[in-house]
Every structure is written in structure tokens, then in C-alpha cells.
Amino acid sequence: MQNSIDTARKVVAEGMSGLLPELLLAALVCVLLLADLFLRGVKPRATAWIAVVGFVACGAALVQRYGAHAEIFGWVQSDGPRGMLLNDHFAWFFQMFVLAAALVCVPMAMDHAAFRSRRMGEFYALLAAATLGMFLMASSTNLLMAYLGIEFASMASYLATAIDKRDRAGSEGGLKYVIYGSVASGVMIYGISLLYGMTGSMHYGDIARALQVHAATEGQLMIAAVLIFAGFAYKMAAFPMHFWCPDVYQGAPTPVTAFLSVASKAAGFAAFVRFLAAFTAHDGTFFIGFGDEKVPASFGWPVIIGGAAALSMTVGNLGALWQTNVKRLLAYSSIAQAGYLLMAVAVYAAGKGQPSGGDLAPLIYYFVAYFFMNLGAFHVITVIGSRTGATSVADFAGLGRRAPWMAFGLGLCLLSLLGMPPTGGFVGKLQLLSAAVKHDLLWLAILAGINTAISAFYYFKLLKCMYLDRSDAGVIRSGAANMAVLAVLVAPVLILGLAFSPIADLSRGFGF
Amino acid sequence: MDIDFGTIMFFALAIVAVVPAFMVVLARDIVRVAFWLLASLCGVAGLYILLGADFLGLTQVLVYIGGILVLILFGIMMTSKDPLHEKATASGKRSPVTGLVTGALVFAVLAAVIVGVGFEENKGVSGGEPTTTKLGEVLLTDYVLPFELVSVLLLFVLCGAAYMARRRREDAHA
């Protein structure tokens, strides 16, 4: 008893030192919740600046953690550590990604019309809490932690979606989000309990070891894995758990939509890729034991994920064709993007079965491009929406004349989402397609090509509206701060398309 | 098959858990549904205790019966204009076939998995002794991080719920 308490004390002390960014975020949540009470007479924007300072401090702590490879909050045993969180390059990339998205969302929220006149401490606290949840998702090496991270991020997202209580669409979106979310997390925890029953552990390393010796048949594993996948797919907004996406993206305040479409998706992918790696052994081989003989089985993951990818992009792109609301259109677009990103995961799973091992670089590169192009698009929509109340595609008529730089930024982001040169989206998609072809997923690559052609229709519909349709409405003044944010988001879209090789080299360093 | 006291208790509790669960689906009045749910949840709590998970069983009683079920009843009472009148659970008639087929299919798949997997190899730790002490120890050693994180989660969800429920002056003006 005394011995175990001493060990626990040591583990906690070691873990805490590696947990500084998360602790800062947790502290930020508390500070922001209290700040509203004490800053009653001060400008409503004061809390936004506290959030910025908090996120930057967290970023500094995260930069300091770069290069770490430590599994914390666990016990080192002879065959490997049993931790809760693993701080490695992969986690670092996605944590930085989520943090940057949260930071970009702060100026967007400051500009958002419905947020301007009110005290926003709770909103920024929720943003920080969601970020903390996504941090945990990115680094969890235990199904319990992954589930807790997902719940953490989800709870904050539900509340953030419905934060504007005067807005009926937001409340409706929030409610739908909660209901779909509860179902998804219920399904997921059922799958987790099955897998726990089969392997006797929730730690990824233990699961991998248990699967190597006879633990369950492939059919039984398939049921558990698919149930768990449902929970991850919900966070990625991928088929078949995408139904919530259009209503929530449309109803939520635009800065929240932007955050969900980028950060939430990335965290979902990060958590899922980590879980996927649990189905592989430490030496990279991809075996599941059946009885005495070890059969190299790829457990159908490439097919399961590839199927989900194919359906996501098709459902997303076909759904987007008929949309007239810009946010809803981008919601379907983001379902399709989840499909392209899942294709990268399918390629990774296929690569795992081969001696060369899985390659995560295309996924990382596409995510970098996706960060800038999707946030850029939502930034323009926030700015224009706050000034003109524009929600439908037709409201963007004549934007090329009314707000030329904003229109140019949005246009470039749309071209990038479509995958046209010379943008980051083009290079990203090219890498995805070539990786898919290399790993015998030609059918998926062809389907992605067809889908790109379909998506051209609705991306160009918006572009045509901005540049060719006439409108008598006056010029829109966007403000210097918004222009600066636009430049920060849109310039990398071009840079990623033109000078891609340094970033492509960098992206190779963030795998496992 | 030898029939001992444990087996008899198991089947008795299983009936208490399953039969009211059917009634939850079949009953038309939503207040009755809530009370059938009470019986079903009690049965599940009894099963937990029978299996040696005493803490889990009592938590089930506290959280589900003491918390959630009371919340459901309050919800019915607060939202309906006439709480004593019978509340229909569903509007309009639907064919039960789709639901039955889906339910049966899901049950068959899950049952096949559960029966097929050798769960007994991974039996729990408790050999009849109380689990509360052990759980407390584990929560503050192996699982201290999730335990503490849940408290942060509860903190901000509580604040968020208060935010949602409260009526702001600026909302009232709008």
C-alpha cells in the first residue's frame, strides 16, 4: 500500500513536469471563467486578450516540449511503458495545430457581430477547454484517455455551438450536436468495453500485445473496432457519423464553425491514427494471431477506412451541390475533405502491412494546407457576414468589387479546397493520390479524382457569384486587423503550393 | 447444472432488469415509462452487486435512479401543461417491423461477439470483498490523471449549464 502510494507520487511528479501546456490550458479555463466577474466594468474585449495571452503561453510551453518522447502517467514495465499520454512528435504536431486554430479563432470571435456587445469570458473558456480536450486526444495512448479527451472536446463544442442564446439556429444546432454526440459516444464506449473484454486492457501497447497472441477472432475484433471507429468518425465528421455536421456548422456562430471544422477534425484524426497503430505491433509488423499460427492479416483496416473515405467524399460532394447557404456548403465540403484525409489514413494502414511501414507525411501535409485554406475561407465568411449579414451564396454577389482582397482570399482558399494549382491543396491532394496509387488503392485514387471533378461545380458556383454576378451594394470595409489575419491565413496557401518541398520534408518528421 | 442461490438470484434480477426494459419500449404513457425504467435500473444495479461490483451497483442507484430518473420526472412535470394527464410517447403510428428487425440484428451480432469472446479469461479482481477501497486506491494512483481531468470537465460543464439556463439582462432586451 505505502509502496504503491510512493510509486504513484513519483509518477505524478514526473508526469506533471511533462504536462505544462495542458496545465496552462486548464488554468486558462478557470481564469477566464472568473475574469468575467472581476472585469465587469472593463471593455468586453478584455477576456479575448486574456485568452490570447493564455494560448501564447501554452504555445511557448509546447515549443519547449518539442522533441520530447515520454509516456507519462504510467508505470514502466519490462515490455514497455503503460502510460496515459504519450508526448511525441506526432502529438506535438496536432497539439500545435489545434492551439494555432484556437488562437486564430480569437480575432474571428472578436470580429463576429453577435459576439461584439457582450461579455465573452465563458466563450473563450469553452474554447480553451475544447483545446485541452483535443490536446488529450492527440497524445492519448489509452482508450480511456482518448474517450475522455473526446468527451472533453465534445462538451465544450456543444456549449460553444449554442452560446448565442438569441439565435434559434445555434440552439437547434447545439441540441442536434448533443443528441448525435451522445449516440456516437455511447456506441464508442460499447466498442471499448468489448475490446477491453477481449484484451484485458485499455492501453494501446497492451492491446497490441494481446492481439498478437490469440485474443479474439477477426470477426469479433471487427465489431469492436467498427463500434470504436464510430466515435472517432463522429469527431472527424466522416461517413457514417456525418449527419450532425451540416446543421451544426450552419447554426453555430461562424468562428465556432471554423474551429470545429479544423481543430476538432484534426484531433479526431490524431486520436484515430493512434488507436489504429494499436492494431500493429511495436516492431511495425501487422500481425493478428489466430491460434498457433501467425497470419499476416491487415485486419481489413485499409478496406474499412477506404470505404469510409470513399463514402465521405461522395456524400459530402453530392450533398454540397444543392446548398445555397455558404456555411452549409462548407460543411458538406468539410465532410468531403474528411474523406480525402481518411484516404491518407487508409494509405497509412495499407503501408503498415508492408515492410516499408506506414507513412503519415501525406496526412500531415494535407492537414497543414487544410488548416490555412479552411480557416481562411471561414475568416472571410465571418468578416463579410458580420458586416452585411450575408449567409447565402447569392449574398456574396459582386464581392470581387465590394471587398476585393477578401474575395481574392476566399477565392484562393476555395481553389485550394478544390485542389487547383498553384495552391497548397493541389500539392496536398497530389501527395495523397500518389501515395494511394503506390499502396494499391488505385480505386480510391480514381474515386477521389471523380470527386474532385464533382466538387469543382460548387466551389466554382461560389467563385462565379463573387466575380461575375452583379450587385449594387456598396463597398465593404474590412478593417486592418482582419486584413492582417487574412494575409496570415492566405499567404501560406500560396506558399504551400509553390515552395512545398521544405514543408514536405518537415512533414516527414511528424509520424510515429 | 447445479442450481445454487447465486444462479437463482441472477435469474430473478435478470427478469427484473429485462421485463421492465421491454415495458419501457411498449408503454404508451411517458410517466409509466419512467417508472418501468426505475425497475429496470434497479435490476441492473442488483446484477452489479451480485457480480461483486458493490460500488458500481450503488453508484448506479445514486446516479441513474437518484439523479437521472428524477431529472426525467422533473422534466415531464415542468414541460407539460397538465402533468397528471396521460402523455403519449410517440405521435402517429409507425410500423414496428423496422425497429424489430434492426433491434434483432444488432442483438444477434453483439450476442455472437459476447458469447464468442472468452471474457472469463479477464475476470475482475474482486473475490467477494468490497471494491470501494481498491477503487479509491486505483483512482488516486493508476488513474489519477483521468480522475483529475474529469473534475475539470465537470467544472466547466457545470458553468456552461448554468450559462445556458440563466437569463441574461442583455438577452431579455434583445
Side-chain angles (χ1 to χ4, degrees):
Chain A
M1 175 76 193
Q2 187 57 41
N3 193 22
S4 75
I5 288 176
D6 284 343
T7 326
R9 200 172 282 154
K10 198 163 136 268
V11 166
V12 170
E14 277 168 14
M16 282 307 207
S17 62
L19 205 65
L20 186 60
E22 285 85 354
L23 290 174
L24 281 172
L25 281 175
L28 184 63
V29 174
C30 302
V31 167
L32 283 166
L33 283 174
L34 290 172
D36 254 0
L37 301 176
F38 293 107
L39 296 175
R40 206 166 263 269
V42 192
K43 279 195 282 183
R45 290 195 166 181
T47 45
W49 290 110
I50 296 177
V52 168
V53 170
F55 285 142
V56 169
C58 174
L62 197 56
V63 166
Q64 210 169 25
R65 195 160 78 184
Y66 179 76
H69 188 97
E71 195 161 337
I72 53 174
F73 282 94
W75 277 255
V76 178
Q77 291 177 4
S78 55
D79 52 350
R82 303 278 196 288
M84 287 284 165
L85 301 173
L86 174 61
N87 292 323
D88 57 2
H89 280 89
F90 178 80
W92 191 89
F93 170 79
F94 280 98
Q95 287 170 342
M96 207 40 141
F97 186 96
V98 168
L99 190 67
L103 192 60
V104 169
C105 286
V106 175
M108 284 168 81
M110 283 162 91
D111 193 63
H112 188 59
F115 285 178
R116 253 181 243 153
S117 59
R118 43 176 49 206
R119 287 183 287 128
M120 293 297 298
E122 287 102 344
F123 172 75
Y124 294 116
L126 289 174
L127 195 63
T131 311
L132 174 55
M134 291 165 193
F135 265 55
L136 300 173
M137 284 166 74
S139 62
S140 57
T141 50
N142 188 304
L143 273 172
L144 184 70
M145 272 318 289
Y147 178 77
L148 189 60
I150 288 178
E151 282 298 290
F152 223 102
S154 298
M155 290 290 170
S157 310
Y158 304 151
L159 288 163
T161 302
I163 193 107
D164 189 3
K165 285 189 285 179
R166 291 167 298 185
D167 182 20
R168 289 183 69 91
S171 306
E172 186 195 323
L175 191 64
K176 282 186 180 164
Y177 204 3
V178 173
I179 292 169
Y180 282 119
S182 327
V183 172
S185 86
V187 169
M188 184 184 185
I189 201 110
Y190 200 100
I192 291 176
S193 70
L194 282 180
L195 194 61
Y196 178 72
M198 291 169 194
T199 61
S201 177
M202 284 189 284
H203 182 263
Y204 290 168
D206 276 343
I207 292 174
R209 278 181 282 271
L211 293 181
Q212 276 180 305
V213 298
H214 174 77
T217 67
E218 193 165 358
Q220 293 160 347
L221 265 181
M222 177 94 85
I223 300 293
V226 165
L227 291 178
I228 297 174
F229 176 68
F232 290 121
Y234 167 74
K235 286 312 278 175
M236 303 180 221
F239 185 90
M241 306 301 285
H242 63 281
F243 293 102
W244 59 276
C245 188
D247 288 323
V248 172
Y249 281 21
Q250 185 184 359
T254 319
V256 177
T257 311
F259 184 69
L260 291 181
S261 72
V262 173
S264 197
K265 201 179 283 280
F269 272 93
F272 177 58
V273 169
R274 271 211 190 285
F275 168 69
L276 189 64
F279 275 71
T280 64
H282 279 305
D283 56 357
T285 47
F286 206 70
F287 288 136
I288 297 172
F290 294 108
D292 303 326
E293 147 190 50
K294 279 192 175 176
V295 183
S298 57
F299 177 61
W301 269 126
V303 177
I304 295 175
I305 302 167
L311 285 163
S312 288
M313 42 182 130
T314 313
V315 166
N317 282 325
L318 291 180
L321 289 178
W322 286 275
Q323 299 310 319
T324 53
N325 182 296
V326 177
K327 274 156 82 183
R328 212 175 166 80
L329 184 127
L330 281 183
Y332 278 104
S333 143
S334 97
I335 297 171
Q337 299 288 336
Y340 302 137
L341 288 159
L342 267 179
M343 191 164 89
V345 181
V347 168
Y348 168 71
K352 267 288 189 188
Q354 290 160 10
S356 58
D359 183 15
L360 281 169
L363 181 75
I364 303 278
Y365 193 92
Y366 201 81
F367 255 121
V368 174
Y370 182 73
F371 177 90
F372 291 108
M373 60 201 186
N374 220 41
L375 279 182
F378 274 114
H379 174 63
V380 175
I381 290 168
T382 310
V383 171
I384 303 299
S386 295
R387 279 161 186 72
T388 64
T391 52
S392 74
V393 173
D395 291 340
F396 283 75
L399 199 71
R401 180 182 57 77
R402 297 166 67 199
W405 283 108
M406 285 287 156
F408 172 73
L410 181 56
L412 207 62
C413 290
L414 290 177
L415 286 179
S416 184
L417 284 167
L418 171 59
M420 294 283 275
T423 58
F426 168 71
V427 180
K429 208 175 259 182
L430 201 65
Q431 287 190 8
L432 288 185
L433 293 178
S434 65
V437 173
K438 204 169 77 186
H439 286 100
D440 296 331
L441 289 166
L442 185 65
W443 62 277
L444 200 53
I446 292 173
L447 209 65
I450 296 171
N451 264 289
T452 305
I454 298 173
S455 70
F457 179 77
Y458 62 86
Y459 288 129
F460 273 115
K461 188 171 78 175
L462 190 53
L463 277 171
K464 167 189 158 283
C465 201
M466 286 196 302
Y467 282 106
L468 298 179
D469 289 3
R470 295 179 138 264
S471 159
D472 297 329
V475 173
I476 302 163
R477 297 197 186 288
S478 310
N482 287 326
M483 282 302 190
V485 175
L486 183 76
V488 167
L489 289 175
V490 170
V493 173
L494 270 181
I495 296 170
L496 284 167
L498 295 170
F500 46 84
S501 55
I503 298 144
D505 287 342
L506 270 181
S507 67
R508 267 176 219 118
F510 288 110
F512 285 123
Chain B
M1 183 180 155
D2 56 327
I3 296 173
D4 55 8
F5 179 67
T7 317
I8 296 168
M9 278 307 287
F10 173 78
F11 281 105
L13 286 168
I15 289 168
V16 174
V18 172
V19 174
F22 272 105
M23 293 309 292
V24 169
V25 181
L26 297 174
R28 292 232 156 258
D29 183 343
I30 195 162
V31 180
R32 275 171 207 271
V33 167
F35 278 99
W36 280 119
L37 194 61
L38 170 80
S40 178
L41 292 172
C42 281
V44 174
L47 281 177
Y48 285 148
I49 293 170
L50 187 71
L51 290 170
D54 52 345
F55 185 81
L56 190 62
L58 290 176
T59 315
Q60 165 93 0
V61 173
L62 275 178
V63 173
Y64 280 91
I65 300 169
I68 291 176
L69 203 72
V70 171
L71 198 71
I72 292 176
L73 287 173
F74 262 93
I76 297 167
M77 192 177 81
M78 298 290 189
T79 52
S80 60
K81 284 175 191 143
D82 182 10
L84 295 177
H85 199 263
E86 192 171 274
K87 300 283 167 309
T89 47
S91 54
K93 278 185 185 168
R94 289 197 193 86
S95 158
V97 179
T98 333
L100 273 177
V101 171
T102 317
L105 218 68
V106 170
F107 175 77
V109 169
L110 292 180
V113 171
I114 291 168
V115 171
V117 174
F119 280 134
E120 62 273 12
E121 289 166 23
N122 299 313
K123 235 179 213 164
V125 278
S126 159
E129 37 179 318
T131 54
T132 317
T133 322
K134 269 191 186 142
L135 275 173
E137 251 176 65
V138 167
L139 275 183
L140 287 176
T141 52
D142 293 28
Y143 292 96
V144 65
L145 182 66
F147 181 68
E148 293 298 331
L149 281 169
V150 165
S151 59
V152 180
L153 175 75
L154 286 177
L155 170 74
F156 82 78
V157 168
L158 205 64
C159 292
Y163 172 86
M164 285 296 149
R166 151 186 84 176
R167 196 181 156 88
R168 277 194 181 191
R169 210 172 301 137
E170 51 201 276
D171 294 330
H173 283 309

